[in-house]
Amino acid sequence: MKIYISGDYFDKENAKVSVFDHGFLYGDGIFEGMRSYNGKVFRLRDHLDRLWESAKSILLTIPISAEAMENAVNETLQINGITNGYIRLIVTRGVGTLGLDAHLCQHPQVIIIADHLALYPKEFYEKGLEIITASTVRINPAMLNPQIKSMNYLNNILAKIEGHQAGCAEVLMLNSKGEVAECSGDNIFIFKQNQLHTPSPDAGILEGITRRVVLELAAELGLNIKECPMTRHDIYTAEECFLTGSAAELIPVVKLDGRIIGNGKPGSITKKLLELFRSKTTV
Ligand code: PMP
């Protein structure tokens, strides 16, 4: 495996960053997680736009152009011979001192890792996921906006640990108002009474690229779409529920907090949207 670090490629064992990099010291940096299908990165431009927005929000200057980044991502895939895989793109604040001063970090580092996919097991797509609500609340946007895909994922990790301890592969996170936000690494949708609902970005979520694609597909299908505040009651009483993410694509949820959703099986709208989604990734 060859890993790109700021213009050079290193073997996995030698792909190292300094312990003084503020990405390591403070989680000061940003990232993207993307998927490639048949050698092409899905919605690469959207991911780069989100990366640049995250950078702008934290006053981080990405040291290369978007075009150079696009080339570097594609080259990393090619060098590693990966056609259907996962790409992690990271921009760290760079080496600084032990203090918090970001302005002392003069050289942000760009890291690109292309790897094979670690997917949810196939049976979860067939039978659906059982999830619980984490007691860890999604970080309030007034503190650190979840729209910034920052290298500090402790909020999500703590929620995910709760899920693991309960035997669940994913967990629902609420916002500080007690509304549904998203899962630890996926966005959430429900289908009820002919409407597709998902929390709007105001709920304090990462606005997923897959979420956006699903909203486009739902519009193509002529579904009524509602981006609005949601509570757990809405999920408990939904006909269908599914999660979206670059790695997961669309994955059905059949149980939340012990309540069976719909008839306890992946729903027909979920299946239709997944089928349509997959048809878009193969072109
Ligand atoms: N929410 C969170 C917290 C995430 O980390 C992710 C990405 N893993 C998503 C949602 C889904 O985003 P995307 O569809 O862009 O992968």
Side-chain angles (χ1 to χ4, degrees), residues 47 50 138 149 153 156 182-187 206 208-211 244-246:
H47 282 283
R50 188 169 67 184
R138 190 75 175 102
K149 200 162 167 62
Y153 249 52
N156 313 57
E182 59 181 336
C183 290
S184 69
D186 299 292
N187 293 115
L206 178 78
I209 309 292
T210 322
R211 173 187 181 279
T244 63
S246 293

